[in-house]
Amino acid sequence: MNIVVLVKQVPDSGTERKLDPADNTVARATADNVINEMDEYAIEEALTLREAHGGEVTVLTVGPDTAKDAIRKALSMGADKAVHVSDPAMHGACAPQTSAVIAAALGQLEYDLVLCGAESTDGQVSVMPALLAERLGIPQLSGARKLTVEGSTARIERQTDGGYWELEAALPAIVSTWDTINEPRYPSFKGIMAAKKKPVEVRTLAELGLDPSTIGLGTATSQVLDFAGRPPKGEGVKVPDEGDGADKLVGYLVAQKIV
Amino acid sequence: MAEVLVPVELDPAGTGVRKTTLEALTLARVLGEPSAVVLGAPGTAASVRNVLAEYGAAKVYVAESPDIDDFLVAPKAEVLAQLVAGKSPAAVVIPSSAEGKEIAGRLAIKTGSGFLTDVTDVTADGTATQVAFAGSTIVHSTVTVGTPIYTVRGNSITPEPAPADAVEETVAVQVSEAAKATKVVQRVVEQKSDRPELTEASIVVSGGRGVASAENFSVIEGLADSLGAAVGASRAAVDSGFYPHSFQVGQTGKTVSPQLYIAVGISGAIQHRAGMQTSKTIVAVNKDPEAPIFELADFGVVGDLNTVVPAATEQITARKG
Ligand SMILES: Cc1cc2nc3c(=O)[nH]c(=O)nc-3n(C[C@H](O)[C@H](O)[C@H](O)COP(=O)(O)OP(=O)(O)OC[C@H]3O[C@@H](n4cnc5c(N)ncnc54)[C@H](O)[C@@H]3O)c2cc1C
Ligand SMILES: Nc1ncnc2c1ncn2[C@@H]1O[C@H](COP(=O)(O)O)[C@@H](O)[C@H]1O
């Protein structure tokens, strides 16, 4: 079974993240960039499926040059090879445009299954699987906390509020994964060394058959007009519990007319 | 006035609408005249028409078919795309649930439009407000191509009634084979709860690693129940097995924006803030006076949650008598 895992590099959510005032896009060049956390679960799931069914795991990333670090991490975990779509024209692309690029890159690969994270921490859009399913005409199995593949059928448990939906579709399909699905492995020393020799193909938009003038900030389907830091909250009150913590707490809630 | 399509999000029983629908109808009125779109099993529209009328739906498009519920997302996007083509609405406004965002995405591709997710506000010219990067940045954005599609972040708009006619119009539903690719085999409810839904609740009480055990989460539940609140949890609490994952608040969990958020035994890591920073009032109980959650809190008690919280619960319950 051949699997493509979509991996995105994002600014570390534990650091202060910024938009670039020059053009209101995510400041990626100056950020502390990491692999999108949720994508590690997708990689782990792909590796587990490969162990059971054989085949190859290909990593696909659309992003600037720095994204090669995210690819390296995925290869260190055990993926076989990678495709990196990198083109300056992509700067400022919107989600529908990025989905067109990913769809074109997938068109040059052979796959039974596409795996991706359920959400990225920079945009937190959670729509890539839906966009790709729509563009590629393949089934969408999104938000999985469990995935099983039998023959040419994939089933997931789609995580919902207070439960799950059991979904079923024929391969090839796209599946997105939550952090409840597995426990991603750490790259071993051997894995890290082996990753250095694994093939990474770099592609431009033109090499995917796309017209660079149709993708990027200038033609994006949505645009950020301006941004500002959230206004700081007024200084709060902090009181010690001197045997009267509950009185103080309830007193505050009463004053706020909550109780 | 221009028409704005608002696909209705039903409650899990399928017999009423979720509060998110009323929020979407309220926001849609800024952009034009809302037309609610009921997408569901046959008979759904009859049970929700009155509330849609009360919240400003001038029209109700009734798109009912078993196919809509039996397959994931795609049939709904297909029906909406037909309506966008036929009615040329000024915009489409959708509740920002997982499914709502996926409908928005598919509809955007089908109609060649742009979309903005998790908007908290919009102006008459279509400029949307969004919150980025764990709530630290406020962004104004706009759709530049096609019919603008917005998804509305829960609890960012106060639903306001505005009685309208809710004139029904039946939509012939013809779901294509392509849209039947993902079958919904069954919908399973694992945790039945009388508490309000986390993302809709006006008060949320969350517990963190400081709660120390699954059993001790009864302290959090007790306070929540005395206030009629939903229960939430930090990732550390979820990862430690104290509380189920579906209650996780934060970057990898739910985003909540209640009137009151009470953080108990939670340090206030940036990824936790991501899910609760926009709450109107924040209260914290933590024994560490240096905990970062206090930087965010309107009111904080430095103390042991095991003494402060049960005593507060008792007092609140007594007051309600
Ligand atoms: C990519 C990524 C995504 C993440 N997503 C999320 C997310 O969605 N949600 C989330 O919450 N976290 C998330 N995290 C984790 C986050 O960084 C923190 O680790 C987590 O929020 C800590 O949870 P906590 O505050 O409960 O635990 P801790 O940080 O351990 O804090 C426990 C607090 O309880 C206090 N305490 C202990 N005992 C008592 C007592 N008896 N009485 C009163 N106070 C007491 C302590 O003083 C301490 O401040 C994410 C991390 C990463 C890297
Ligand atoms: N530029 C990209 N390159 C590769 N994968 C991506 C990219 N953007 C999004 N994805 C994948 O889509 C998932 C959901 O992203 P999003 O819809 O942006 O929240 C991510 O977890 C990735 O697996």
Side-chain angles (χ1 to χ4, degrees), chain A residues 12-14 37 121, chain B residues 207-211 233-237 248-254 264-273 285-288 291-293 303-306:
Chain A
D12 185 349
S13 61
E37 196 215 3
T121 55
Chain B
R209 202 201 308 268
V211 177
S234 74
R235 184 173 189 173
Q248 183 172 313
V249 172
Q251 183 178 285
T252 30
K254 299 273 156 58
V264 181
I266 292 177
S267 62
I270 194 163
Q271 295 91 354
H272 187 75
R273 293 174 179 214
V285 179
N286 196 304
K287 68 180 180 189
D288 173 10
I293 191 75
D304 192 324
L305 68 92
N306 295 305

Side-chain angles (χ1 to χ4, degrees), chain A residues 177-190:
Chain A
T177 58
W178 284 114
D179 53 350
T180 36
I181 197 164
N182 57 41
E183 206 44 69
R185 67 195 67 185
Y186 287 103
S188 65
F189 180 71
K190 219 174 115 205

Side-chain angles (χ1 to χ4, degrees), chain A residues 202-222:
Chain A
V202 181
R203 298 265 160 80
T204 61
L205 294 179
E207 284 168 338
L208 297 179
L210 295 167
D211 175 359
S213 72
T214 61
I215 290 163
L217 191 58
T219 51
T221 63
S222 60

Side-chain angles (χ1 to χ4, degrees), chain A residues 142 161 164 225-226 230 247, chain B residues 102 135 140 188 235 254 315:
Chain A
S142 48
D161 291 335
Y164 66 93
L225 302 173
D226 59 59
R230 207 177 136 71
D247 306 342
Chain B
E102 292 174 340
H140 291 119
V188 180
R235 184 173 189 173
K254 299 273 156 58
Q315 288 189 25

Side-chain angles (χ1 to χ4, degrees), chain A residues 3 21 30 35 41 49 75 81 90 95 126-127 138 142 156 159-160 164-165 185 209 231 236 243-244 246:
Chain A
I3 304 173
T30 53
I35 192 168
Y41 298 85
L49 284 166
L75 295 176
K81 57 191 173 67
M90 283 288 300
S126 287
V127 291
I138 61 174
S142 48
I156 70 157
Q159 195 166 297
T160 61
Y164 66 93
W165 294 357
R185 67 195 67 185
D244 56 354

